[in-house]
Amino acid sequence: MNFSEVQNIWDCSKEEWNDWQWQLENSITSVQELEDKFSISDSEAQKIKKAADVFPMSITPYYASLIDFDDDTCPIKQQAIPQSDELKNNNYEMDDPLHEDKDSPVDGLTHRYPDRVLLLVTNKCSMFCRHCTRKRKVGDDEGTVNLEQIKQGIEYIKETPQVRDVLLSGGDPLLIDREILRKIIVELYKIPHVEVVRVGSRLPVVLPQGITDGLVDMLSEITEEHGPVWINTHFNHKKEITAESKEALNKLANAGIPLGNQTVLLRDVNDCPEIIKDLMHQLVQNRVRPYYLYQCDLSRGIEHFRTPIAKGIEVMEHLIGHTSGFSVPRYVVDAPGGGGKIPVSPNYLLSNSNRKTILRNFEGTITVYTEPENQTSNCPPNCNICDNPFVEEEEQNDIGLQKLFSEDNDKISLQSSEREYGNYDS
Ligand SMILES: *Cc1c(COP(=O)(O)O)cnc(C)c1O
Ligand code: SF4
C-alpha cells in the first residue's frame, strides 16, 4: 500500500502514521473497524467475529496495510486476521503446553534451564499473532505491567546465583513504559551474577515505528554503562521485510544492539524450504542473525498452523551446507509439558565403529573419518575448572545425561522425576 492508499483508509498525516502511539491508538480491534476500512464479505466478517470473540484481535494500521485482503493465502493476513479454524478444539492442545506457569518459582518468571530465566514483564502486544503460543495470556488486560510481580522476579534472580542470562518477554517488553523498562534492565545489571539481558520483541515486524531514536539511545546508553541488551525479534516471512522494518533494524544495528530472529514454522505461511531460505537471507542482509526456527506448539487455537516435524527437517536439509552457516537457524521443538527446546536436525552421522565414523554431507557424499589410535581423551593437563574451590559444591552436580557420562556416578538410568529445573509446584 502506498501512502495515498493509506491516507484514503486512515485519513492521517504522515507524522501520525509514523508515530507509534498513533499506531497503537488506531489499532484495529473490532470486526466493524475491519469492515469499515477494507472490503470484506459479510460471511467472512461473521467468521472473523466468531473467532475474535474467543481470541481477541488487534492489528496495527501499519501491519494491516501489508495485508492483501483479496488473497486468503497472504502470509500477513493469516498471521493477523482471526479464522474459524481457531475454534476447532483438539484435546491434545493445551493452554500452557510449555508449562511456563508450572515451571515458575514466582509468578511471571520461568526457570527451566540452569543458567537463564524468562521474565514476563507485560501481557500487552501491539499485534495479536494468530499463531501465538501464549494465546491464553496475550490481550488479557488484568496484568499489563505488574510492578510488584516484576520486583519478585528480580528478587528471585538476586537470590539465585546461577542465573547469568535474563530474557525479558511477554507480551512485548518494548511496549511498556520505557523508563520502567530502563529501570528493570538497570536493576538486573546491578545483580553481580547477571551477565546478559535479552529482550524478545515483535516491534520491528508489526510496529517498526516503535523503534524510536529515544529507545535506541536508551539501549546504547544501557549497553555502555551497564551491559549488553540483545534483541530477538520474530519475522516469519519476507513480506514483513519492508522499508520501515529495515529502517528499524538498521537503527538498532547501528547502535550496536546484537539482533537475532525467531521464526515459527507455520502451515501455508512459510512451510517451504525456499520461503525460509529467502527470509533468512533477507535477515542477514539486515544484520539480523537467524536464531531459532520453532516447530509450532500445541497451544489451543493454533492447530491449523501446525506442520509435521518432517517439514522442519526438510527445511533444515535445504539450509545446512546449502547456505552460509550464519544464515541457518537452529530448528527446535519446545517439548510439551515443559521439557524445554529440543534441537532436531537431519542426521549426518550414518554409522560408526571404534576405528571409523561414517558421515554424509549436504550433497549426499558419504565419507569416512578415521578415528585416532589413542581413543582416550581426558582433561587437558593443569585445568582445574571443575574442582575450583570457588565453585560451590552444588554447582558441580551433574545435570541430565551428564549423570550417565560421569565417572563418579554409578547411575544406569534416568527418571523424569529427576529433572533439575521446573516442577516448582510439586
Ligand atoms: C527459550 C527459553 C530461554 C532461553 O533459552 P535459549 O535457548 O538460551 O535462548 C530461557 N527460558 C525459557 C523458559 C525459555 O523458553
Ligand atoms: S508478539 Fe509474540 S507474544 Fe505477542 S501475540 Fe505475537 S507471538 Fe504472541
Side-chain angles (χ1 to χ4, degrees):
M1 218 178 254
N2 59 34
F3 193 68
S4 70
E5 289 170 290
V6 159
Q7 265 181 321
N8 272 339
I9 296 179
W10 279 279
D11 189 25
C12 62
S13 68
K14 214 162 197 153
E15 286 68 41
E16 284 172 322
W17 184 257
N18 291 328
D19 172 359
W20 69 298
Q21 295 298 343
W22 181 93
Q23 288 276 339
L24 285 172
E25 279 155 24
N26 287 279
S27 283
I28 300 167
T29 55
S30 75
V31 180
Q32 192 55 53
E33 289 167 89
L34 262 189
E35 285 183 290
D36 291 346
K37 293 186 163 56
F38 306 97
S39 57
I40 292 170
S41 72
D42 281 349
S43 73
E44 187 177 7
Q46 291 229 325
K47 283 184 197 157
I48 297 172
K49 185 165 186 318
K50 267 195 182 154
D53 283 346
V54 178
F55 299 109
M57 166 177 71
S58 183
I59 313 168
T60 57
Y62 161 78
Y63 202 69
S65 76
L66 306 179
I67 297 177
D68 180 353
F69 276 93
D70 297 331
D71 177 8
D72 281 340
T73 69
C74 166
I76 310 285
K77 183 175 182 190
Q78 294 191 77
Q79 290 183 67
I81 303 287
Q83 299 175 42
S84 40
D85 280 347
E86 293 174 32
L87 303 177
K88 278 191 204 151
N89 255 334
N90 287 293
N91 55 13
Y92 45 82
E93 290 169 38
M94 305 170 244
D95 282 329
D96 178 24
L98 309 179
H99 280 200
E100 286 179 328
D101 295 342
K102 261 193 168 162
D103 291 356
S104 287
V106 298
D107 281 349
L109 182 141
T110 307
H111 189 182
R112 178 178 304 131
Y113 300 103
D115 67 345
R116 53 210 188 281
V117 295
L118 183 76
L119 180 62
L120 302 181
V121 296
T122 175
N123 288 342
K124 215 163 120 184
C125 275
S126 44
M127 205 278 288
F128 297 168
C129 310
R130 304 323 296 175
H131 57 277
C132 178
T133 197
R134 301 207 184 102
K135 238 175 159 153
R136 71 191 186 283
K137 282 197 169 158
V138 162
D140 112 25
D141 39 16
E142 41 164 325
T144 24
V145 193
N146 182 337
L147 281 179
E148 210 34 60
Q149 187 176 304
I150 295 172
K151 274 189 192 149
Q152 278 176 20
I154 296 177
E155 214 40 54
Y156 174 83
I157 296 165
K158 244 179 226 168
E159 290 157 11
T160 317
Q162 71 266 36
V163 176
R164 40 164 293 286
D165 173 4
V166 180
L167 170 48
L168 302 183
S169 184
D172 200 317
L174 295 187
L175 281 185
I176 67 174
D177 181 279
R178 287 183 171 167
E179 184 46 28
I180 295 180
L181 179 66
R182 196 186 69 80
K183 285 198 174 127
I184 294 173
I185 301 176
V186 171
E187 266 322 290
L188 287 169
Y189 271 125
K190 281 189 190 155
I191 304 172
H193 51 269
V194 171
E195 297 169 3
V196 177
V197 175
R198 319 186 230 174
V199 173
S201 171
R202 215 179 178 200
L203 243 60
V205 187
V206 296
L207 183 58
Q209 297 81 359
I211 307 299
T212 58
D213 294 341
L215 173 71
V216 171
D217 289 346
M218 176 184 109
L219 293 175
S220 47
E221 202 181 288
I222 296 176
T223 302
E224 209 149 289
E225 287 174 20
H226 305 279
V229 184
W230 289 61
I231 292 188
N232 254 334
T233 187
H234 172 179
F235 284 91
N236 287 330
H237 197 279
K238 181 170 84 167
K239 215 179 154 186
E240 294 167 333
I241 312 255
T242 62
E244 289 90 339
S245 63
K246 280 182 182 175
E247 192 190 327
L249 296 173
N250 200 34
K251 274 188 194 171
L252 291 166
N254 285 349
I257 306 298
L259 299 172
N261 184 72
Q262 327 200 132
T263 294
V264 187
L265 191 60
L266 298 170
R267 192 171 80 186
D268 293 342
V269 174
N270 62 11
D271 56 339
C272 157
E274 293 309 320
I275 291 176
I276 297 286
K277 199 202 275 179
D278 211 13
L279 173 65
M280 298 303 122
H281 287 168
Q282 294 277 329
L283 289 169
V284 298
Q285 284 177 58
N286 287 285
R287 292 182 278 177
V288 182
R289 168 74 156 94
Y291 186 44
Y292 283 131
L293 174 66
Y294 277 103
Q295 174 66 12
C296 191
D297 289 325
L298 278 80
S299 296
R300 205 177 296 284
I302 63 176
E303 163 74 14
H304 56 295
F305 282 120
R306 296 204 294 130
T307 66
I309 289 177
K311 178 54 79 174
I313 305 250
E314 181 192 344
V315 169
M316 295 310 289
E317 185 75 74
H318 281 74
L319 294 178
I320 297 170
H322 295 267
T323 189
S324 329
F326 58 78
S327 302
V328 181
R330 175 176 296 173
Y331 174 46
V332 290
V333 181
D334 222 329
K341 299 175 187 75
I342 300 175
V344 193
S345 164
N347 293 323
Y348 295 94
L349 195 156
L350 298 183
S351 190
N352 58 354
S353 71
N354 65 345
R355 295 295 294 120
K356 295 186 177 204
T357 295
I358 299 177
L359 305 156
R360 63 113 179 156
N361 80 347
F362 73 104
E363 293 171 307
T365 303
I366 296 178
T367 57
V368 59
Y369 177 86
T370 304
E371 299 291 351
E373 236 153 77
N374 180 355
Q375 300 217 346
T376 53
S377 177
N378 292 322
C379 301
N382 303 327
C383 170
N384 58 2
I385 290 182
C386 55
D387 49 36
N388 186 329
F390 298 109
V391 177
E392 295 279 319
E393 183 94 23
E394 245 168 275
E395 289 174 50
Q396 291 183 31
N397 281 351
D398 295 322
I399 292 169
L401 293 194
Q402 286 174 347
K403 285 194 176 116
L404 299 182
F405 278 123
S406 169
E407 301 284 343
D408 311 329
N409 213 317
D410 48 14
K411 273 196 180 307
I412 56 165
S413 68
L414 281 183
Q415 312 295 320
S416 59
S417 61
E418 292 178 71
R419 255 179 67 193
E420 307 282 330
Y421 293 93
N423 284 332
Y424 292 90
D425 64 343
S426 59

